[in-house]
Amino acid sequence: CLEKKPADRWQSADELLAQLEAVATPSGGMTPTTTRPVATARVRGRKHFVRTTAVAIAAVGVVVVLGGIWVVPRLLGPRTTEAETELPRLVVLPFENLGAPEDESFADGITGEISARLAGLGNLAVISRQSAIQYENTEKTPQQIGEELDADYLLEGTIRWQHSDTGSSRVRITPQLIRIENDTQIWAEIYDSPLTEVFAVQSDIAERMVSAMGIALGGNEGELLAAMPTQSLEAYEHYLRGNAAFNKGFPGRPELREAVEEYEIAVASDPSFALAFAKLSITHGNMFWNSGMYGTPEEGLERLARAGETAMEALRLDPELPEGHAALGAYYYWCCRDFDRALAELDLGLGQHPNSPLLLMLSVGPLMRSGQIERSAELSARASDLDPLAFQHALSALRTNLALRNYDLAERYIDRFGVLYHDEWPMGHLWSAKLALLRDGNPDAVRQIIEQAEEHSGVDYWEIVLVSDPPVSPMSLKRVLCTREPDACRQATTRATRDAFGGGLPNVYLKLAELYHWAGDESLSRVYFDSAATAAAARHEEVLRLERPGVEHSRQLRMYQLEGGLALIHAALGNEAVALQHLGRRQELKPIVTDRWVVLTDRDYTSEAYVKLGEYDAALEELESRLATPSDWSVPLLRVDPMWDPLRDDPRFQALLERYGN
C-alpha cells in the first residue's frame, strides 16, 4: 500500500483482501494469490510480504486513529529500542484521595513510591510519574490512556488516610491492576492497615503486581521491593509530600521550593534517611542550574553547596543507593561541569535502575557534553518513551539524532515535540524547517513550513526566520532564505528592534551584520560588524575575569566561541592578520574544550572565516571534519547555503560533497 510507484501498489480492496487471506491461510502458502506486476519481482518470500502487509495494516490504523482521538498516540510511534520492545509497560496513575484535601500530596506520594519501587525492576518499563500525573482525575478510559502512553498495564486505586488523635492512624488502599489490551482486571486487593505498616503494604502491592504480570525478579530485586527507607513515619510523610511537589516541579518549576521544604523536614526528622538526602540534593542542584528562576546568584551558590553536602551524606549513609549516585552525578554535572565524574556516578545508578526515567534524563546531558552522542541519543529515546508527555526528552532525542544524521528518527521526535511543546513561538515548525534543510536541502519546503508556522502562531514570517536563535534556526537557514528574498529580509531586519534578537551584544551585532550582508546592504553590514568587534572584545575581557565554581570549563568554552566570532568579524572587516590570530587561538582551544557537544555542533565559525579570507584549503579541511563527525552540517545543506558559493566550482569541494553525499 505504501509503495512509491502506483504500479507497485494493489489497485483495489479486493486485491489487498486476497493478499491478507493468503497470509492468514493455515497451510502457510508462500505465494500471494494476487500481486501487482512489479511487486511480484520485488517481494521475495513470506517474510518480506508479511512485513509489507503489517505496514499496510498499520497505515490503515493511523487513518482510523487520527479520525477519532488525540494525535499524540500516533506520534509516540513504536517503541524505540529492541530491549524496550520486550518489556511490559506499566503506568501507575495517581491514586484518588478519598480523605481530607490536605492529604492529597500524601496520596500522590504513596502512589509515587509504589511506582518508584517498580521502576527499579530490570524486566519492567514504568512510565514516568511526570507523564502519569497528567492523568490525575482523568475521564479517559484505560484503553485511551494505554494508547496515548503505549502502555500494556495500568494500576489505579484509591487511598484514604484515617487520622486519629490517639496516634493510631490507619491507611486504606484499594489498588487494581488492569490489562489494557482486553480491559480486564487481573489483580485487586483492599488494604486496611495501621499507618505504621505502610511500608509493608507498598511492598505487598508491588510484589503482587509483579506476580500478576508474570515478571521474574532478579538479583536483589525482592529486597528492593521490600525496602524500608526510614523508621520515622513523620519523616516519611514529609518525604512523600516532597516527592509529590518534586514530580510536579521537576525540572525547573516553582513547586521545587515546596519540595525542598518538605525534604528538609524529612532529613531533620530522621538524619539517617539517605533517600530523602538524595532527593534533596537533586532538587537543590536543579534549582542552582535554573537559579535565575529562584532568586539571587548568592542564593544559587547556597543551593550549590547544599546540593554537594546532601549528595555526599546520602552516599555516606548508603553507599549503594542508586538515587545517591544519581544525586552526586547530577551535582558534578550541574554544579561543576565535570562530565566524566558525573557519568561515573550516573552509570552506577543506571546499573541498578536501568529503566529509571530520572536517571536516564540526568545522564543525557553529560553524555551529550562529553561527546558520546550515540549513547545520548539512545538514552534520550528511552527516556522519551518512558516519559512520553515530557517535551524535554523529545527535544534531546531530536537534537542528538539530527547531529547523527539519523534524519528519519529525528523526524519522529520532531513530530512528538511539536505536539507536546505549548508556546506561542512555533518551535516544532522550526525544527521541521531545519530538518528539511539538513536532510533535503529544500529551501521551498523550508519556506512552506515557516509559512505554516506563521499561520499557526500568528507570528510574522520574517520574525520567525530572523529572531529565532540557534540551534533551532541557525544562520545557515537565515542565509538561505535571505538571499532568495533580499529586499524582504532587509526590510524585516530594519523593522526588528535590537532587543528582539536577545542574547549579548556581540551576538546581536554579529547577527545584524550578517543579515544585512546577505540581504545586500553592505553599508549597514559594515557598521554592525564594527560594533560586533567592539562588543566581542569587551566580552572577551569579561570571560577572562570569570570567577565561580566550574569556571575553567566555562571559560574555555566561552573563549572558544568568542575566538570564532572574532575571527569571523575581522575576516568580514578585512583584518586578515587579526582574524588569523583569533583562528589560531580557537584551534588551540578546540581539543581542550570539555564541552564536546558545542565543539561538534556549534556554528562553524572557523570554516566560514577561512572562506571570507580566501583560505579555501583550510576551509575545506574544516568542512570535512564537520561532515566526518556528528554535527549540524550535511551535504544537502552545503549544496544550497550561499556561504559556500566561492567554493562551488572547486573540484575539491565537489569531491567532498560526493564523498559524504550518501
Side-chain angles (χ1 to χ4, degrees):
C1 287
L2 299 179
E3 290 293 342
K4 292 182 179 180
K5 296 180 180 179
D8 290 0
R9 305 178 202 138
W10 292 289
Q11 303 299 295
S12 70
D14 287 338
E15 288 188 14
L16 175 58
L17 179 61
Q19 290 280 26
L20 293 173
E21 287 174 342
V23 176
T25 301
S27 63
M30 296 285 286
T31 306
T33 58
T34 308
T35 59
R36 300 308 308 153
V38 179
T40 304
R42 296 183 61 187
V43 178
R44 302 297 183 189
R46 185 184 183 92
K47 180 177 180 181
H48 185 106
F49 173 70
V50 171
R51 179 176 62 80
T52 306
T53 306
V55 171
I57 295 170
V60 175
V62 170
V63 175
V64 174
V65 170
L66 291 179
I69 62 173
W70 188 27
V71 73
V72 166
R74 293 301 92 199
L75 295 185
L76 297 186
R79 299 172 193 176
T80 303
T81 63
E82 186 174 327
E84 182 79 357
T85 305
E86 298 170 358
L87 297 180
R89 287 167 60 88
L90 168 74
V91 55
V92 182
L93 295 188
F95 283 17
E96 181 183 0
N97 174 39
L98 300 182
E102 57 267 25
D103 294 338
E104 188 71 41
S105 60
F106 176 80
D108 286 346
I110 290 287
T111 314
E113 273 300 281
I114 295 170
S115 180
R117 289 173 187 247
L118 293 165
L121 303 181
N123 292 324
L124 179 65
V126 180
I127 303 297
S128 165
R129 289 293 295 157
Q130 272 73 20
S131 284
I133 60 177
Q134 297 187 46
Y135 292 90
E136 192 169 15
N137 302 319
T138 183
E139 297 294 326
K140 293 185 177 181
T141 66
Q143 287 70 31
Q144 287 175 307
I145 296 171
E147 179 74 14
E148 291 172 10
L149 297 179
D150 193 20
D152 304 303
Y153 297 91
L154 181 148
L155 178 69
E156 61 183 5
T158 63
I159 295 180
R160 182 188 297 276
W161 183 5
Q162 299 171 316
H163 298 269
S164 171
D165 294 335
T166 64
S168 57
S169 299
R170 300 182 68 83
V171 62
R172 182 181 178 87
I173 306 178
T174 58
Q176 61 171 338
L177 181 65
I178 297 170
R179 181 183 287 114
I180 291 172
E181 181 182 22
N182 51 14
D183 193 21
T184 56
Q185 183 189 89
I186 61 174
W187 172 78
E189 191 66 79
I190 298 175
Y191 295 88
D192 192 340
S193 307
L195 187 60
T196 53
E197 296 180 12
V198 67
F199 299 116
V201 169
Q202 289 175 351
S203 298
D204 194 65
I205 291 173
E207 289 172 0
R208 290 184 179 232
M209 283 180 55
V210 167
S211 176
M213 288 185 284
I215 295 172
L217 299 179
N220 64 344
E221 290 183 339
E223 298 174 13
L224 170 69
L225 294 182
M228 182 180 293
T230 177
Q231 300 289 334
S232 168
L233 284 176
E234 179 185 3
Y236 191 61
E237 177 189 342
H238 287 287
Y239 170 74
L240 293 182
R241 296 186 188 281
N243 281 349
F246 180 89
N247 288 332
K248 292 176 181 176
F250 184 83
R253 288 194 290 268
E255 291 88 351
L256 291 185
R257 286 191 181 278
E258 181 185 347
V260 164
E261 292 171 2
E262 296 293 346
Y263 290 143
E264 291 282 13
I265 297 173
V267 299
S269 301
D270 180 5
S272 65
F273 197 167
L275 193 55
F277 274 110
K279 293 298 289 289
L280 179 58
S281 172
I282 292 171
T283 311
H284 272 305
N286 189 246
M287 292 178 75
F288 165 77
W289 183 249
N290 297 286
S291 56
M293 300 174 58
Y294 297 101
T296 65
E298 289 74 22
E299 183 179 349
L301 291 176
E302 291 175 10
R303 294 196 184 282
L304 166 66
R306 192 76 177 121
E309 293 166 1
T310 48
M312 295 301 293
E313 183 63 12
L315 287 174
R316 186 190 70 78
L317 292 166
D318 185 351
E320 304 300 321
L321 183 68
E323 292 84 355
H325 290 294
L328 190 56
Y331 170 77
Y332 286 137
Y333 175 58
W334 284 331
C335 306
C336 313
R337 311 299 282 165
D338 190 332
F339 309 128
D340 291 340
R341 294 174 77 181
L343 289 171
E345 295 294 334
L346 289 163
D347 282 346
L348 288 172
L350 278 172
Q352 297 181 67
H353 285 181
N355 299 316
S356 163
L358 179 61
L359 274 160
L360 289 168
M361 187 185 108
L362 292 174
S363 300
V364 165
L367 283 169
M368 285 175 65
R369 301 296 170 183
S370 63
Q372 300 179 58
I373 313 301
E374 290 189 5
R375 186 161 182 244
S376 181
E378 176 193 345
L379 296 197
S380 296
R382 285 173 55 192
S384 186
D385 290 342
L386 289 172
D387 195 358
L389 300 186
F391 74 82
Q392 297 93 337
H393 307 321
L395 179 60
S396 296
L398 75 86
R399 291 187 69 188
T400 47
N401 279 292
L402 279 177
L404 291 168
R405 302 181 184 87
N406 297 332
Y407 295 132
D408 291 345
L409 192 54
E411 184 173 26
R412 174 192 177 198
Y413 289 102
I414 288 171
D415 290 343
R416 183 181 295 188
F417 174 83
V419 169
L420 298 174
Y421 184 81
H422 302 296
D423 192 274
E424 64 179 21
W425 202 255
M427 293 287 284
H429 289 87
L430 279 165
W431 282 114
S432 294
K434 182 174 180 177
L435 173 66
L437 200 58
L438 288 173
R439 180 178 62 186
D440 308 317
N442 188 340
D444 292 331
V446 172
R447 196 187 208 295
Q448 184 178 11
I449 291 168
I450 298 178
E451 285 174 346
Q452 292 169 355
E454 179 182 38
E455 181 179 350
H456 173 80
S457 65
V459 181
D460 177 74
Y461 171 90
W462 281 105
E463 184 179 353
I464 295 171
V465 172
L466 302 183
V467 173
S468 302
D469 279 328
V472 64
S473 177
M475 183 54 68
S476 54
L477 185 148
K478 303 179 200 305
R479 286 194 295 256
V480 167
L481 296 178
C482 276
T483 51
R484 288 165 65 88
E485 301 177 71
D487 290 341
C489 177
R490 180 181 53 77
Q491 292 170 13
T493 303
T494 302
R495 289 196 306 269
T497 64
R498 194 182 74 186
D499 292 342
F501 287 101
L505 284 181
N507 288 332
V508 171
Y509 290 144
L510 178 55
K511 182 185 289 187
L512 286 166
E514 293 189 274
L515 289 174
Y516 279 120
H517 168 73
W518 295 109
D521 192 330
E522 292 300 334
S523 177
L524 272 176
S525 176
R526 175 85 186 193
V527 168
Y528 281 107
F529 271 125
D530 279 332
S531 297
T534 303
R539 180 60 54 84
H540 197 279
E541 293 302 315
E542 290 176 14
V543 171
L544 288 174
R545 294 194 299 271
L546 276 176
E547 290 295 338
R548 63 177 179 75
V551 68
E552 192 55 38
H553 300 282
S554 179
R555 182 185 289 122
Q556 288 174 351
L557 174 60
R558 294 194 188 188
M559 290 297 290
Y560 174 75
Q561 293 172 307
L562 272 170
E563 294 290 0
L566 281 163
L568 183 62
I569 291 165
H570 285 286
L573 290 170
N575 302 330
E576 181 177 354
V578 179
L580 289 172
Q581 191 175 43
H582 286 295
L583 283 169
R585 291 174 186 162
R586 180 174 166 89
Q587 296 294 65
E588 290 173 4
L589 284 167
K590 185 176 181 178
I592 63 174
V593 173
T594 55
D595 193 330
R596 304 313 295 172
W597 172 258
V598 172
V599 172
L600 289 169
T601 64
D602 194 27
R603 179 176 175 182
D604 192 3
Y605 290 109
T606 305
S607 57
E608 292 181 25
Y610 278 132
V611 167
K612 285 187 177 294
L613 292 171
E615 298 281 347
Y616 297 150
D617 287 345
L620 287 165
E621 183 179 342
E622 185 68 22
L623 277 178
E624 179 157 20
S625 73
R626 294 281 179 160
L627 292 173
T629 59
S631 74
D632 277 355
W633 290 97
S634 70
V635 167
L637 169 62
L638 292 177
R639 292 189 190 280
V640 297
D641 187 345
M643 184 74 219
W644 317 110
D645 284 351
L647 301 175
R648 196 72 60 199
D649 297 327
D650 191 317
R652 295 167 300 174
F653 182 73
Q654 293 297 328
L656 193 65
L657 299 185
E658 183 69 24
R659 190 176 312 128
Y660 293 98
N662 296 324

